């Protein structure tokens, strides 16, 4: 019997066979990554034109050009056609220069870092139905907020490590033992500070806590910790994520958590830490039924947390319609049902289904990373308009939590 180039032998055990498949696929993924990101096999963020910079900061292009002419701020790269090209790091330097000239809300709109009294925003993206675009949503939100000038920490809490892969990290090659959030959550002497598992990414002001299969260990150690009395009081399992985030509270404005597709101890910790909950939902009846189960189980487990002294407080909770085809009549009926049932708790803007998102995903990229011209201009434009509208709405929820003017 033959599958591809791999011969299956009768004396090979199922575990050996699966292990061989895993090693073969892992090696191929590693080779593909090296082909995509030569020569150092690391991702890099594309440069931005002065038009892009003006749009991201919210000023005129002439303001950006004048800064360069006056010798203020960073010096852009000059392209062969004479146009200016900026890195995201340079864009953030420009933000600081322009914000120094403004006061009050005008300065904050340009450089949106948290001000005194504004709490860290923690956005948990959750659902236990596969295919709801949870990781796609988390990736685009983290990238969007970083491009908007916020200091962002993305946490991959899913042992499958899809969010990590979107940042160019292959978990079995690039993530050493004890280098996921598990390292900061565990109950033994090998526990380490959160700062030691945080990685810088190729996005300025966007850091990542990667994932791999070791995260699943948290689900196994918690029952033992409860039985031994280690998981109690301030060290009880559902406080764990919130407590470790306090270690880096002053370094970030927003934390985006991509939760695992299950309601285990990790997800409960993320929900307890969250200030905002985003539930991704593909508008199909099967997904709707699954979401109903998710909500019922979440309510029961949150009740258990509250009965054990955990005061849960969300500034907001929203459903996000994902992969929506407005020309699909059954989908449209499901969306209408959701809006009738939950009103403003459903985000106004859906994330539209698009080949642009699918094509970007093949290269482990978000729409914000695609070079202009890499796919059809109108296709990319429509997809970006959709995802931007979603992310602006989430940003407005954050601002409202801080008491800022919208």
């Amino acid at each position: 019997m033959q599958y591809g180039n791999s011969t299956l032998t009768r004396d090979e055990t199922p575990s050996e066979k699966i292990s061989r498949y895993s090693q073969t696929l892992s090696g191929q993924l590693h080779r593909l990554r090296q082909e995509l990101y030569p020569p150092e096999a690391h991702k890099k963020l594309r440069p931005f034109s002065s038009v892009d910079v003006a749009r991201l900061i919210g000023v005129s292009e002439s303001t950006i050009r004048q800064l360069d002419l006056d010798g203020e701020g960073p010096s852009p790269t000059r392209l062969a056609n004479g146009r200016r090209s900026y890195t995201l790091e340079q864009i953030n330097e420009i933000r600081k220069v322009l914000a120094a000239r403004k006061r009050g809300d005008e300065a904050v709109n340009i450089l949106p870092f948290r001000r005194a009294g504004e709490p860290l925003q923690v956005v948990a993206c959750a659902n236990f139905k596969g295919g709801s675009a949870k990781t796609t949503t988390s990736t685009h939100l983290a990238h969007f907020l970083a491009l908007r000038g916020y200091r962002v920490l993305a946490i991959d809490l899913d042992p499958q490590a899809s969010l990590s892969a979107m940042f160019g990290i292959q978990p079995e090659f690039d993530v050493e033992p004890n280098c996921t959030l598990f390292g900061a959550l565990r109950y033994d002497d090998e526990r380490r500070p959160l700062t030691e598992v945080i990685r810088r990414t190729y996005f300025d002001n966007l850091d990542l806590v990667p994932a791999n299969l070791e995260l699943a260990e948290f689900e196994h150690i918690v029952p033992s910790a409860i039985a031994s009395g280690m998981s109690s009081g301030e060290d009880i399992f559902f406080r764990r994520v919130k407590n470790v985030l306090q270690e880096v509270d002053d370094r970030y404005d927003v934390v985006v958590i991509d939760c695992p597709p299950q309601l285990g101890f990790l997800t409960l910790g993320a929900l307890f830490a969250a200030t905002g909950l985003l539930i991704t939902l593909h508008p199909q009846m099967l997904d709707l039924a699954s979401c109903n189960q998710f909500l019922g189980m979440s309510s029961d487990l949150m009740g258990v947390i509250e009965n054990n002294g955990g005061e849960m407080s969300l500034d907001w909770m929203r459903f996000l319609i994902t992969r929506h085809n407005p020309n699909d009549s059954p989908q449209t009926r499901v969306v209408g049902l959701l809006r009738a049932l939950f009103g403003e708790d459903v985000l106004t803007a859906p994330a539209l289904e698009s080949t642009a998102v699918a094509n970007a995903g093949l290269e482990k990229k978000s729409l914000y990373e695609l070079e202009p011209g890499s796919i059809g201009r109108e296709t990319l434009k429509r997809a970006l308009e959709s995802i931007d509208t979603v992310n602006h709405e989430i940003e407005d929820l954050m601002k409202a939590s801080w008491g800022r003017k919208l």
Side-chain angles (χ1 to χ4, degrees):
M1 189 185 301
Q2 187 133 7
Y3 280 69
N5 296 323
S6 180
T7 301
L8 306 184
T9 61
R10 290 185 180 276
D11 58 353
E12 188 177 35
T13 67
S15 63
E16 290 171 340
K17 185 185 301 181
I18 292 172
S19 175
R20 177 163 53 83
Y21 284 165
S22 174
Q23 292 172 19
T24 301
L25 181 56
S26 179
Q28 184 61 35
L29 289 171
H30 187 54
R31 287 190 290 273
L32 286 172
R33 186 187 66 168
Q34 290 179 315
E35 290 174 9
L36 283 171
Y37 312 117
E40 63 279 273
H42 291 295
K43 293 183 71 174
K44 292 182 179 179
L45 183 60
R46 68 176 181 88
F48 298 87
S49 68
S50 55
V51 174
D52 293 329
V53 176
R55 176 178 55 81
L56 288 170
I57 297 178
V59 296
S60 66
E61 186 185 1
S62 61
T63 298
I64 304 302
R65 288 199 304 267
Q66 194 61 49
L67 276 180
D68 182 33
L69 293 173
D70 293 343
E72 296 188 66
S75 298
T77 299
R78 287 284 186 163
L79 303 179
N81 58 9
R83 293 180 179 175
R84 298 170 176 84
S85 175
Y86 297 84
T87 65
L88 180 55
E89 186 174 7
Q90 289 176 320
I91 294 173
N92 286 331
E93 290 178 29
I94 293 173
R95 283 189 166 104
K96 292 175 182 177
V97 172
L98 293 177
R101 300 177 177 179
K102 307 289 185 179
R103 290 187 178 183
D105 291 335
E106 286 188 330
V108 173
N109 287 336
I110 292 173
L111 188 66
F113 291 178
R114 287 162 56 202
R115 296 177 292 186
E118 295 179 337
L120 178 69
Q121 293 292 295
V122 181
V123 180
C125 190
N127 202 335
F128 61 30
K129 178 68 170 68
S132 67
K134 182 170 55 62
T135 297
T136 300
T137 299
S138 299
T139 304
H140 281 88
L141 179 60
H143 286 184
F144 169 86
L145 292 172
L147 290 171
R148 291 281 291 167
Y150 295 94
R151 299 167 299 172
V152 184
L153 175 63
I155 298 180
D156 192 348
L157 214 54
D158 186 350
Q160 297 178 75
S162 298
L163 181 67
S164 303
M166 292 295 288
F167 281 87
I169 293 174
Q170 194 169 340
E172 62 269 39
F173 286 106
D174 303 325
V175 184
E176 298 292 329
N178 218 30
C179 288
T180 69
L181 195 67
F182 175 70
L185 298 178
R186 60 193 304 163
Y187 284 94
D188 57 22
D189 292 339
E190 294 186 50
R191 185 181 177 190
R192 57 197 308 196
L194 179 59
T195 53
E196 293 184 6
V197 298
I198 291 175
R199 300 186 181 199
R200 295 190 64 182
T201 73
Y202 52 96
F203 266 76
D204 191 47
N205 279 347
L206 172 54
D207 295 341
L208 172 71
V209 177
N212 66 14
L213 288 174
E214 76 172 15
L215 276 168
E217 287 296 311
F218 191 68
E219 307 298 327
H220 300 299
I221 68 169
V222 167
S224 298
I226 294 174
S228 67
M230 295 179 69
S231 179
S232 61
E234 283 301 309
D235 285 329
I236 196 167
F237 72 89
F238 60 78
R239 297 184 189 276
R240 217 63 169 161
V241 175
K242 186 172 185 176
N243 288 345
V244 299
L245 288 179
Q246 291 176 353
E247 298 174 21
V248 295
D249 181 274
D250 61 340
R251 290 176 48 171
Y252 301 102
D253 305 303
V254 190
V255 177
V256 177
I257 304 178
D258 186 21
C259 295
Q262 63 187 45
L263 269 175
F265 297 122
L266 283 171
T267 301
L268 287 175
L271 294 181
F272 186 75
T275 58
L277 174 59
L278 196 61
I279 301 173
T280 54
L281 179 59
H282 182 49
Q284 298 279 8
M285 288 308 297
L286 284 177
D287 295 74
L288 202 60
S290 176
C291 185
N292 181 47
Q293 296 295 314
F294 172 79
L295 294 174
M297 290 179 64
S298 297
S299 175
D300 290 344
L301 292 170
M302 286 178 180
V304 171
I305 289 175
E306 289 167 350
N307 290 335
N308 283 273
E311 295 183 8
M312 301 193 68
S313 177
L314 289 171
D315 294 334
W316 54 268
M317 184 184 82
R318 293 292 187 275
F319 294 91
L320 168 62
I321 307 300
T322 62
R323 295 167 42 228
H324 178 42
N325 180 355
N327 298 316
D328 186 314
S329 180
Q331 283 195 26
T332 302
R333 287 199 293 271
V334 171
V335 173
L337 174 63
L338 284 168
R339 296 198 186 283
L341 291 173
F342 302 131
E344 65 177 15
D345 285 338
V346 181
L347 287 180
T348 304
L352 299 179
E353 187 174 38
S354 173
T355 56
V357 176
N359 290 339
L362 290 174
E363 298 182 36
K364 299 289 191 294
K365 291 181 178 180
S366 73
L367 295 176
Y368 300 115
E369 297 177 89
L370 292 180
E371 293 276 2
S374 58
I375 61 175
R377 181 177 177 181
E378 287 303 312
T379 300
L380 179 57
K381 180 181 177 183
R382 285 194 299 270
L384 276 171
E385 286 176 350
S386 169
I387 204 67
D388 273 348
T389 305
V390 168
N391 288 331
H392 275 296
E393 197 169 342
I394 296 170
E395 182 188 15
D396 284 346
L397 290 168
M398 289 168 32
K399 287 182 176 179
S401 297
W402 283 328
R404 295 186 185 181
K405 295 180 181 178
L406 302 181

